């Protein structure tokens, strides 16, 4: 599997990166490349087009309905609904159940069908705690994690290697369980110790991400969701103080082979 970081800026788009979005690619045994987009936050639809043509996405998976994780679906909807090619398949979107209503609210309309076309370009599949599903050769498993809204982390495997994405979460046992033994643990570190102690149940710090990586005995930790106002070396140092394995900071435009 190859993970492209489309955007990794925490909570809002920053000067160096869009908000959260990741593209997972995997070539199956027949040589077909599967492309799954995981989150599409503020500003990410533009950056996505530097990496692929959005025609080529097979499915979308959304961790939760905060704007920095789903808002640019508005752009993807316009792209798929009004594209000159009228034979594009309906795109499956796995997301919390409220997503269609939330998109309608943003677009100020009652229907999931965009104005002037006959069908929604998206088909919506609701995620629930413990749910699992397949997208081509990729198997997804979701667990509810600790965040102020319904939010999921994902364990994704091609049958050989495993990627775990925390979504947005504070420390919780279900996240550590889900991440157990992952080859790559893409884990948020939105907060830093001390500065953000007055908020609980929202985000991990670098230290708490490192503790989760240690508890789950993952092979490799990739820190993400660091906001533009945070020096990323701080969460990196925090994680290094508690986790001995390899750690990197996610960077927009970079890719990681799993
Ligand atoms: Zn977020
Ligand atoms: Zn969030």
């Amino acid at each position: 599997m190859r993970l492209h970081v489309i955007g990794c800026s925490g909570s809002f788009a920053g000067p160096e990166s869009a908000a959260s979005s990741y593209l997972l690619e995997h070539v199956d045994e027949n040589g077909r490349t599967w492309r799954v987009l995981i989150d599409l936050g503020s500003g990410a639809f533009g950056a996505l087009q530097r990496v692929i043509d959005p025609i080529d996405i097979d499915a979308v998976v959304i961790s939760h309905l905060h704007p920095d994780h789903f808002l640019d679906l508005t752009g993807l909807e316009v792209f798929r609904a009004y594209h000159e090619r009228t034979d594009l398949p309906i795109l499956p979107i796995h997301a919390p159940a409220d997503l269609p209503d939330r998109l309608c609210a943003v677009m100020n309309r009652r229907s999931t069908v965009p104005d002037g076309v006959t069908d929604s370009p998206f088909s919506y599949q609701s995620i629930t705690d413990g749910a699992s599903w397949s997208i081509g050769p990729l198997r997804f498993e979701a667990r509810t994690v600790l965040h102020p809204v319904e939010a999921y982390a994902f364990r994704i495997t091609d049958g050989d290697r495993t990627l775990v994405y925390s979504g947005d979460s504070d420390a919780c046992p279900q996240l550590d369980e889900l991440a157990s033994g992952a080859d790559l643990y893409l884990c948020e570190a939105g907060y830093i110790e001390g500065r953000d102690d007055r908020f609980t149940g929202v985000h991990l710090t670098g230290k708490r991400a490192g503790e989760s990586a240690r508890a789950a005995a993952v092979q490799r930790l990739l820190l993400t969701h660091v906001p533009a106002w945070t020096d990323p070396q701080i969460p990196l140092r925090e994680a290094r103080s508690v986790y001995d394995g390899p750690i990197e900071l996610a960077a927009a435009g970079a890719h990681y082979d799993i």
Side-chain angles (χ1 to χ4, degrees):
M1 293 184 283
R2 173 167 285 184
L3 180 75
H4 294 267
V5 177
I6 306 300
C8 57
S9 182
S11 300
F12 50 88
E16 308 295 337
S17 174
S20 294
S21 185
Y22 308 92
L23 176 69
L24 186 62
E25 291 183 325
H26 178 62
V27 181
D28 71 15
E29 55 198 17
N30 301 315
R32 182 207 196 280
T33 302
W34 291 82
R35 296 182 178 88
V36 180
L37 192 59
I38 304 170
D39 284 345
L40 190 59
S42 334
F45 188 59
L48 175 69
Q49 294 167 70
R50 285 193 218 118
V51 180
I52 55 161
D53 186 330
I55 281 178
D56 294 329
I57 301 166
D58 292 296
V60 180
V61 178
I62 298 291
S63 64
H64 67 295
L65 301 183
H66 277 155
D68 61 315
H69 295 258
F70 88 97
L71 196 60
D72 269 24
L73 284 174
T74 54
L76 181 61
E77 189 193 64
V78 169
F79 181 95
R80 303 280 300 208
Y82 302 111
H83 199 277
E84 65 177 354
R85 265 185 58 186
T86 54
D87 63 338
L88 297 181
I90 291 176
L91 187 63
I93 300 192
H94 301 259
D98 285 347
L99 177 63
D101 288 345
R102 295 288 293 278
L103 277 181
C104 284
V106 172
M107 305 301 270
N108 192 28
R109 56 166 207 249
R110 289 201 181 85
S111 166
T112 57
V113 180
D115 299 331
V117 296
T118 51
D119 296 304
S120 171
F122 300 153
S123 69
Y124 297 99
Q125 327 284 329
S126 295
I127 299 174
T128 54
D129 186 29
S132 58
W133 65 92
S134 293
I135 299 169
L138 299 171
R139 189 79 188 157
F140 282 70
E141 181 185 346
R143 288 295 305 273
T144 300
V145 287
L146 182 59
H147 202 51
V149 299
E150 178 186 0
Y152 298 98
F154 303 116
R155 184 180 179 93
I156 306 149
T157 180
D158 61 5
D160 179 26
R161 310 306 290 264
T162 300
L163 164 70
V164 172
Y165 170 46
S166 65
D168 280 6
S169 178
D170 203 344
C172 58
Q174 56 273 34
L175 184 58
D176 299 350
E177 284 168 27
L178 192 73
S180 177
D183 293 292
L184 182 66
Y185 187 20
L186 175 65
C187 187
E188 71 119 305
Y191 284 165
I192 59 177
E193 295 288 322
R195 182 192 70 186
D196 299 314
D197 288 356
R198 67 191 188 281
F199 307 115
T200 55
V202 185
H203 290 298
L204 293 158
T205 60
K207 177 167 179 278
R208 297 200 288 270
E211 287 168 345
S212 179
R214 188 180 62 196
V218 302
Q219 299 298 309
R220 198 169 151 208
L221 174 61
L222 184 58
L223 294 174
T224 192
H225 202 281
V226 176
W229 57 40
T230 298
D231 174 356
Q233 295 304 314
I234 299 172
L236 184 60
R237 272 200 304 272
E238 287 183 4
R240 284 207 172 117
S241 72
V242 293
Y243 172 67
D244 287 339
I247 309 177
E248 284 180 74
L249 283 164
H255 68 260
Y256 303 86
D257 290 322
I258 305 162

